[in-house]
Amino acid sequence: MVRRDVWLVTGGAGYIGGHIVARLHAAGRPVVVYDDLSTGSAHRVPDGVPLICASVLDEEALAKALVQHEVTGVMHVAAKKSVPDSMRDPVLYYRENIGGVVTLLAAMVHTGVKKLVFTSSAAVYGMPSASIITEQTPAEPISPYGYSKLAGERMIADAGRAHDISWLALRYFNAVGAEGDQLADRGGTNLFPVIFRAFAAGKPVAVTGGDFATHDGTGVRDYIHVADLADAHVAAADRLTRGPAAQVLNVGTGKGYSVLDVLAALRKVTGVEVPYAIGPRRDGDPATVIAAVDRVREELGWSAQRDLDQMVASAWSARQATDEGMR
């Protein structure tokens, strides 16, 4: 009898990690959550899924979890993820993000776990000159967060060669939306939460830059529904089960939406006009950043299925429920 893979998800009680765990669990795949709950919530962990509350910097705890639960693969989602915060406290980001990868790899080597899906980011590309970003686009990060993700990829590649670890690094673009209120994004720095806070308070949404070379003058980004992102992780797990891999993959929709497109979708969802005020650009903001998704489609047989209206509607619904629950 062939034993099924058991996946340990670090950061599995967080926004993105919670969606990944929910997808794996719903599919009947054995999954274990490893999270220090510094930003995650135990309420996101499905009933019946083990939760280990410990730091990714604790090699002994990681190794114990891998052995105790007979883990065969790891999805490493745990990380500090704010670009502005990383500029203010780079040491924290290097310690948590780079140190976390070092510790995890050491625990995997010690226990013989050979499969790894790594959460990377489009932040590794920095300020690309091209609008369509392929995996061959030079990785030139401009923030400690971006540097930490690129360093993680390179450490994993080196460890993979030395210790026969099969891996995939998924470079996320802009994850948004929610599948259910319990899995809502409660962060405060991403575009959707910023828009929703202003809209709920009856204030104009601050739009940074209205003179870009785009269809409406505002910045264009590749937003992806977090449920599609979770599906990509299930596809990555399937790919690693089929055989060895060592690849970096962009994970996006391959489509671009401007800030005003997002506001129009919110107006459609709520039926209410969304006021906005256009201000100056932020230094370093490119006009358009869209993922090339040919490689991920070919390698994983996966592509995003949800459109902008679905992203906005799910995010707004979850936000409303979260706000109501906090009253």
Side-chain angles (χ1 to χ4, degrees):
M1 180 177 176
V2 177
R3 184 163 66 91
R4 295 167 69 192
D5 278 331
V6 178
W7 287 92
L8 183 139
V9 181
T10 69
Y15 166 54
I16 294 175
H19 280 87
I20 295 167
V21 170
R23 271 289 193 273
L24 291 167
H25 183 62
R29 298 165 185 258
V31 58
V32 178
V33 171
Y34 187 101
D35 198 304
D36 65 6
L37 301 183
S38 58
T39 57
S41 169
H43 296 296
R44 288 193 176 110
V45 180
D47 291 341
V49 172
L51 168 61
I52 299 164
C53 187
S55 169
V56 291
L57 300 178
D58 187 338
E59 183 181 340
E60 183 178 350
L62 273 168
K64 181 179 178 181
L66 296 176
V67 171
Q68 181 178 353
H69 294 276
E70 299 182 316
V71 170
T72 55
V74 177
M75 295 190 179
H76 185 44
V77 185
K80 300 295 183 185
K81 65 174 186 175
S82 166
V83 169
D85 285 351
S86 79
M87 302 294 283
R88 288 188 289 268
D89 195 350
V91 174
L92 172 66
Y93 272 67
Y94 292 142
R95 183 179 69 232
E96 294 287 329
N97 292 2
I98 295 177
V101 173
V102 171
T103 305
L104 174 62
L105 288 171
M108 289 178 64
V109 170
H110 180 70
T111 59
V113 176
K114 298 294 187 182
K115 291 191 278 286
L116 176 60
V117 179
F118 176 58
T119 292
S120 190
S121 169
V124 302
Y125 296 116
M127 286 194 309
S129 56
S131 296
I132 307 298
I133 312 304
T134 74
E135 291 84 353
Q136 288 74 42
T137 298
E140 298 173 339
I142 59 172
S143 70
Y145 170 68
Y147 279 114
S148 74
K149 286 300 183 181
L150 185 59
E153 290 182 8
R154 290 175 174 171
M155 289 188 294
I156 289 166
D158 290 341
R161 284 188 291 269
H163 301 287
D164 194 30
I165 295 171
S166 193
W167 60 273
L168 293 168
L170 307 184
R171 289 177 173 171
Y172 299 177
F173 278 64
N174 300 274
V176 297
E179 275 215 310
D181 306 338
Q182 189 167 304
L183 295 174
D185 180 7
R186 295 177 175 84
T189 61
N190 294 329
L191 176 64
F192 277 31
V194 168
I195 287 175
F196 292 163
R197 276 200 307 275
F199 179 64
K203 299 178 179 178
V205 174
V207 178
T208 52
D211 58 351
F212 290 106
T214 61
H215 65 277
D216 61 19
T218 64
V220 170
R221 297 293 181 267
D222 190 330
Y223 297 100
I224 177 171
H225 198 298
V226 67
D228 281 325
L229 198 58
D231 288 339
H233 285 77
V234 175
D238 290 341
R239 172 63 187 85
L240 292 180
T241 299
R242 291 196 299 271
Q247 275 198 306
V248 169
L249 301 172
N250 285 340
V251 181
T253 64
K255 300 175 182 177
Y257 302 103
S258 72
V259 177
L260 295 189
D261 290 336
V262 174
L263 296 183
L266 180 58
R267 182 169 60 248
K268 185 187 299 185
V269 166
T270 63
V272 178
E273 193 65 32
V274 182
Y276 63 89
I278 294 179
R281 300 185 189 187
R282 293 176 299 193
D283 289 342
D285 264 0
T288 302
V289 179
I290 301 172
V293 293
D294 295 340
R295 179 183 285 186
V296 70
R297 186 183 302 117
E298 293 166 2
E299 188 67 25
L300 303 187
W302 169 93
S303 60
Q305 300 299 309
R306 296 159 181 85
D307 63 19
L308 180 63
D309 288 349
Q310 291 171 292
M311 298 181 212
V312 172
S314 69
W316 177 247
S317 174
R319 174 81 187 190
Q320 290 292 91
T322 299
D323 288 349
E324 186 67 32
M326 292 173 65
R327 289 175 187 153

